[in-house]
Amino acid sequence: MSANGRIAGFEFRLPTRPARTQASARARLAPISGLLAAMRLSTQDGRVALCELPAARLATAPLDALAPRMLFALVGDLPADADPAALRAAWKARGVAIGWRDDSPPPALAGTRPDFLVLPEAHDPVELLKALRLARTRHPKVPLVALDVPDLGAMEAVLAAGIAYAAGRLEGDRTPQPGGALPPQARPLLQLLARLAADADTAEVVATVKSDVALSTRLLARINAAAMASTQTLGSIEQAVALLGRNALYGSVSQLLVLTAPPSLAMQALQSMTLARARLFERLAQQRGEPVPGALFTLGLASMLPALLRAPMADVLTAMPLHPQARLALESRGGPWADWLSLAEHLDTGDLASAADLVERFGGMAVVAAAMAEGWLFAVQGQSTH
């Protein structure tokens, strides 16, 4: 995430993450060609790709595998026979940014200015903010990056403090609020999604929307703000349903549901992740010839709602009727659709090398990366019309 609360890019990891102060033998030997290819694909839509890896591995990587907006946090030292100045010049020519942990610079690059610095690992917001303030005092003009941010609270803290980039598994913060329940404004949206998913007739859909004045107003405002309605102002729910069709209406209602989350910088990112995951699932389902791609969209959406709305999954499952396979995957990680959730988790963590077989089952990295890019475009468009 960048300081404005948007998803700026993705962190990638080797199958075995290198130690903080020196690269492990296994990490030094691990092939990184697939990882670099995945990073390169992820930068093609203007996002950054960050990876912490042994300096010796990057020193021996082919230059044509590197691309602008790749960020490498180096661990350990360069090979003894390497020319540090020549390597830095070659990496800079490829548009690559080079940094390292604030407390463990590569010895061969000690005394040189990094393009960014990674904060020492911290386990709570207080410790993280202390490290940020210390690094800013010591390196006032160097962009700072925080990795492994433990939860949404810590993410909010470092974003408010003005960090350049922060990375962490936001989806992992699933703890509901004390006595948490679905927000009242989410319930009519979930009910409408249930009607659409059940292929209710148009009159029933219109009646559901009209039964909630706030929902009617928000939905019409959103549809009229969208590009698809730029040539015609819609004055009634009947017109909107007739013009949009079920699929577009489903997407608009889903976007409204995601935007019911409390406003904050970290929540903006979680909203983007939710919409992007839902669209990723739907797009891959279409490409695989799944008979109900809309049900996979709903699976992606529902999998993120407990974290987004800070409500128990049981409440989501009660209020949002789902395809039986989606319910089985969410409740017990059972059934054939459990692989979709596993894929999303691997994509979220950036550990694609260890998920190579799973990625191949979904068409390969190029197919998955293209679907991811389409998902993020859907998310950006969904938030820009809010």
Side-chain angles (χ1 to χ4, degrees):
M1 289 177 58
S2 59
N4 63 4
R6 298 293 184 184
I7 299 291
F10 305 97
E11 181 189 4
F12 291 79
R13 301 189 180 196
L14 291 169
T16 298
R17 195 165 189 182
R20 299 305 188 195
T21 57
Q22 63 180 13
S24 67
R26 182 178 176 184
R28 284 198 301 271
L29 296 173
I32 62 170
S33 58
L35 178 139
L36 293 178
M39 290 179 68
R40 189 183 183 106
L41 282 169
S42 74
T43 64
Q44 292 180 357
D45 64 349
R47 300 184 187 276
V48 301
L50 184 150
C51 182
E52 187 174 30
L53 82 169
R57 296 312 313 275
L58 186 61
T60 58
L63 289 175
D64 60 5
L66 308 181
R69 296 183 297 279
M70 285 185 175
L71 283 65
F72 292 100
L74 302 184
V75 177
D77 204 5
L78 297 171
D81 59 351
D83 182 340
L87 281 174
R88 287 296 300 270
W91 290 332
K92 183 176 181 180
R94 297 296 297 177
V96 168
I98 300 296
W100 44 80
R101 291 269 169 177
D102 185 30
D103 55 356
S104 54
L109 297 175
T112 64
R113 178 188 170 92
D115 298 315
F116 64 94
L117 279 172
V118 178
L119 298 181
E121 190 168 7
H123 300 288
D124 62 70
V126 174
E127 187 181 350
L128 192 58
L129 287 174
K130 182 179 178 180
L132 189 154
R133 287 193 293 268
L134 179 60
R136 182 170 288 157
T137 299
R138 295 170 55 189
H139 312 282
K141 296 183 179 180
V142 178
L144 301 178
V145 175
L147 303 181
D148 301 307
V149 178
D151 53 43
L152 279 173
M155 186 71 76
E156 286 287 351
V158 294
L159 290 176
I163 201 161
Y165 296 118
R169 282 198 66 193
L170 298 186
E171 188 268 345
D173 183 16
R174 292 177 171 272
T175 306
Q177 294 175 334
L182 289 172
Q185 64 270 32
R187 292 188 177 278
L189 293 166
L190 286 168
Q191 291 169 2
L192 179 54
L193 285 174
R195 299 278 193 285
L196 292 168
D199 199 27
D201 61 49
T202 300
E204 186 177 350
V205 171
V206 171
T208 301
V209 177
K210 288 178 142 183
S211 66
D212 190 298
V213 175
L215 173 58
S216 300
T217 303
R218 293 171 66 203
L219 188 57
L220 277 178
R222 183 171 190 82
I223 292 170
N224 279 315
M228 68 181 71
S230 59
T231 59
Q232 179 180 354
T233 299
L234 301 174
S236 71
I237 297 299
E238 287 86 354
Q239 283 181 307
V241 173
L243 179 64
L244 289 178
R246 296 303 181 87
N247 289 338
L249 184 59
Y250 198 96
S252 291
V253 175
S254 299
Q255 290 164 354
L256 277 176
L257 175 64
V258 167
L259 292 169
T260 60
S264 70
L265 291 177
M267 280 300 180
Q268 288 179 28
L270 204 54
Q271 289 167 358
S272 294
M273 290 176 65
T274 302
L275 292 172
R277 179 184 288 193
R279 179 56 179 157
L280 165 69
F281 280 15
E282 181 181 46
R283 190 71 188 106
L284 289 175
Q286 292 168 343
Q287 293 172 345
R288 286 160 57 97
E290 294 282 349
V292 282
L296 272 304
F297 180 100
T298 309
L299 171 64
L301 188 73
S303 70
M304 295 291 292
L305 288 181
L308 185 69
L309 302 180
R310 301 301 300 274
M313 175 62 82
D315 282 11
V316 173
L317 295 177
T318 298
M320 190 177 190
L322 296 168
H323 189 284
Q325 296 293 3
R327 182 174 294 275
L328 182 61
L330 290 169
E331 287 180 334
S332 64
R333 284 306 180 90
W337 287 6
D339 278 354
W340 294 77
L341 299 179
S342 296
L343 175 68
E345 289 168 356
H346 282 295
L347 295 177
D348 288 348
T349 61
D351 187 5
L352 299 182
S354 64
D357 291 343
L358 181 60
V359 171
E360 285 303 315
R361 293 206 295 273
F362 283 88
M365 192 60 232
V367 171
V368 172
M372 285 178 63
E374 187 172 334
W376 286 109
L377 178 60
F378 176 78
V380 169
Q381 291 173 338
Q383 288 192 314
S384 66
T385 54
H386 178 50

